[in-house]
Structure formats: structure tokens, C-alpha cells
Amino acid sequence: MAEIHLNGNLETVAEGMSIAALLEAKGVDPKRVVVELNRRILPREELVSALLYTGDVVEVVTFVGGG
Amino acid sequence: MEDKLKIADKEFSCRLFLGTGKYRTYEEMNGAFEAAGAELITVALRRLDLSDPSKKTLLDEIDWGRYSILPNTAGCKTADEAVRTANLARAMGLSNWVKLEVIPDPVYLLPDPIGTLEAAKQLVSEGFVVLPYINDDPVLAKRLEEVGCATVMPLASPIGSGQGMVNFEQIKIIIEQAKVPVVVDAGIGAPSDASLAMELGASACLVNSAVALASDPVAMAAAMRMGVDAGRKAYLAGRIPKKAYAAASSPLEGVVR
């Protein structure tokens, strides 16, 4: 298992799980978000090949209302 | 000739820019955009709510092809945070423009001039079209212009305060000296505030709270557009100078006594 920080919360996921699989497990449409892994923005085509290990910091962001 | 506003590579007929925050419903928000004839709207970037990722969000409610999108860096306290947020926003694939906000102060939400200038330099070098939100500081405005910002956006008064054009003498100086468009952003409470900004020669106004939180946002958006347009027309028409004493409009001779 791997302990990761996902949007600021500690989460336990299967070690080596891909970001694409994580998004799918969470019910997130990858086209509607941007993912940052350890401060690097992941191009959408890298979501499948980017794998999760303990200590990884993942941010999943989107647009909201603002001024 | 049509009076268009050009910023970077885009032209706008509507000089009222609208925010997407604080609306009670998406229906009111879209109604306000429609009523204002809005062409440019701002958005913020935040962590997705992973407890309910299928919940409808702004992404479901806006016709993204219809508007120019200006993502902001609201919530960023440092230049580094703002650069990071701007890059995340650009990766959404809708815009390489950024409303740069570097705001360490939570009470008055006044921007940090040094952090803003640092972030602006960095973002310009990374190919962003940078529209910085600044205090009403003419020297900072020039510095930001010199590093390649597409506009400067001085505040009328603190964000969401609705105090209107508190320090318009400073904004007059910014407008007089600027070679890039000046967008008066934040603090506008009513169409008369927007009108005053435009009469002074501002190129556009950016409004969020005054429309979103009005009792009737759709009607207020229409009124705000009229205020912006009236001020713009008055600016182009050339207002009379202010004088200390009266000057009669009717002839002084031939009065029946």
C-alpha cells in the first residue's frame, strides 16, 4: 500500500496505482481537471503512466466561480 | 468606426468584464452575462471536491466557447503560489490569460506590489497574457507595463467592499501614464461608480460582487453595462472642465427689467 496526500488529505492507495486509475476510482472525469503530481503538472497523456508511491503529493483541481 | 477594446490579441465590444463568483444560482449568473453582453469572464481555480466529484460545477454551467476566459490567482499569498496556480489554470486548456492576484492580507485583500511584480515577470516570460490586479499605484502600474503586462487593473476600492471610486485621483494618473489598457477592478458598487471610472478614461471595468449579490443580478448587470457605456461615451465626447464659480448658460444681456 502507499500513503499519499490527495488534495491535502492523507489517503491509502495500492502501491503503483496509476493516476488514471485513481481518478476512475474517485469518479473523476480526467478531461474536467488538471492533475499535479509532486508539484509537476501532468499532461493528460501521462495520467496512465504516472504511478503512485508513498509520500506522493497529488492535487486535482478545476475551475470554480471567482472574481 | 466601432469603439473596440484590444487586449493582447483579442478585441472586445463590451467593456464590462464580469466575475463568476458569489451568484445565488447559475441561472442568475448566465442571465447576468446575457444582460451585460459580457465577452470576458473571470474564474478561480480550486481543489476538486473529491467527496462528490459528480456534483455539477461551473464547468457544466458555462458556455465556454462563448466567452474569453480570464482565470485568476485569487487566494495566492506569494509570487510562487500565483505562478503555480496560473500554470494549473492554463493546463485546463481554455486560456493562457491570467488575472494575477498576490494577496497576503485577508482583511482588506490588498495586493502585494513586490510579489505581483515578481510573478508578473515570471508569467510573461512563460508566455502568459498577464492582467495584474494592483493597488492604485501609478509607479507600480508603469513597472508592470514595462515587464510586459497586457493591462493594469487598479482597484477602485477593496474587493467586494462596494465603496466605489475611493481614490480616483490616483487612477487618473495611472490612466494618464499608461500605454496599456487600464481596467478598473474591484470595489465598484453601482453603475455610477463604473461610469466615473470610464469617464476618467479607463478602458474597461471588472465587476463581480455588485452584480452577483444585487437583489436582481440580471437587472443590475444590464444597468452596469449602461453605466460603463455612458461613461465611455462621455469620455470620448470630452467633458467640460470643473470650475470654481458659476457660468450662466443664458445670455446676460437683454433681460427684461
Side-chain angles (χ1 to χ4, degrees):
Chain A
M1 301 304 272
E3 287 224 312
I4 64 165
H5 293 269
L6 178 59
N7 281 3
N9 296 315
L10 210 54
E11 291 241 356
T12 307
V13 300
E15 181 158 294
M17 183 187 210
S18 73
I19 297 268
L22 174 72
L23 294 181
E24 197 182 340
K26 293 283 180 189
V28 177
D29 177 356
K31 289 193 291 293
R32 298 161 58 90
V33 296
V34 166
V35 180
E36 192 193 64
L37 172 60
N38 300 328
R39 299 295 292 260
R40 191 174 84 83
I41 294 169
L42 293 178
R44 294 212 167 92
E45 57 273 18
E46 284 185 32
L47 296 177
V48 175
S49 57
L51 307 180
L52 291 166
Y53 299 98
T54 289
D56 281 345
V57 179
V58 181
E59 298 287 345
V60 181
V61 299
T62 192
F63 282 145
V64 300
Chain B
M1 202 181 83
E2 211 183 339
D3 176 35
K4 293 220 173 188
L5 167 62
K6 186 154 195 260
I7 300 176
D9 59 337
K10 287 190 176 158
E11 283 194 343
F12 301 96
S13 300
C14 176
R15 291 169 180 270
L16 173 59
F17 301 160
L18 289 178
T20 56
K22 298 183 181 172
Y23 285 90
R24 286 177 288 261
T25 66
Y26 288 125
E27 194 185 356
E28 282 187 344
M29 180 186 74
N30 280 310
F33 296 169
E34 187 75 40
E39 294 173 355
L40 183 145
I41 57 173
T42 63
V43 296
L45 184 102
R46 289 291 179 271
R47 286 171 167 164
L48 182 70
D49 179 6
L50 288 167
S51 66
D52 189 5
S54 59
K55 191 170 66 186
K56 292 238 177 197
T57 70
L58 198 67
L59 289 187
D60 302 294
E61 305 296 340
I62 286 182
D63 181 354
W64 296 93
R66 182 170 169 182
Y67 304 103
S68 292
I69 307 300
L70 178 59
N72 69 31
T73 64
C76 293
K77 296 184 162 79
T78 65
D80 282 349
E81 286 176 15
V83 170
R84 180 186 185 189
T85 297
N87 273 283
L88 287 165
R90 181 165 65 175
M92 288 290 289
L94 291 168
S95 174
N96 68 338
W97 288 33
V98 61
K99 174 183 166 180
L100 175 59
E101 300 181 48
V102 179
I103 301 181
D105 151 41
V107 179
Y108 295 103
L109 295 175
L110 294 174
D112 169 9
I114 298 163
T116 303
L117 184 62
E118 278 172 12
K121 278 186 205 163
Q122 181 64 27
L123 290 168
V124 168
S125 77
E126 293 181 22
F128 284 87
V129 174
V130 181
L131 293 76
Y133 169 66
I134 59 170
N135 213 321
D136 49 15
D137 179 344
V139 179
L140 176 65
K142 277 317 271 185
R143 295 292 297 272
L144 287 161
E145 183 181 313
E146 283 161 15
V147 301
C149 290
T151 66
V152 287
M153 303 209 294
L155 53 83
S157 48
I159 295 172
S161 72
Q163 291 174 22
M165 296 282 286
V166 166
N167 195 358
F168 63 86
E169 292 297 337
Q170 292 284 110
I171 294 198
K172 256 160 88 174
I173 298 173
I174 293 175
I175 291 167
E176 181 192 310
Q177 297 186 341
K179 292 193 182 65
V180 292
V182 176
V183 180
V184 172
D185 178 5
I188 287 172
S192 54
D193 302 326
S195 199
L196 176 55
M198 299 304 291
E199 284 168 29
L200 297 178
S203 294
C205 288
L206 201 169
V207 180
N208 191 343
S209 302
V211 169
L213 299 178
S215 301
D216 182 345
V218 178
M220 185 58 84
M224 205 61 84
R225 173 68 193 266
M226 292 166 95
V228 164
D229 286 353
R232 177 67 186 171
K233 281 196 165 72
Y235 170 72
L236 294 174
R239 64 154 290 155
I240 60 165
K242 290 185 183 178
K243 289 193 284 265
Y245 301 102
S249 303
S250 308
L252 296 175
E253 302 79 31
V255 178
V256 177
R257 303 224 184 252

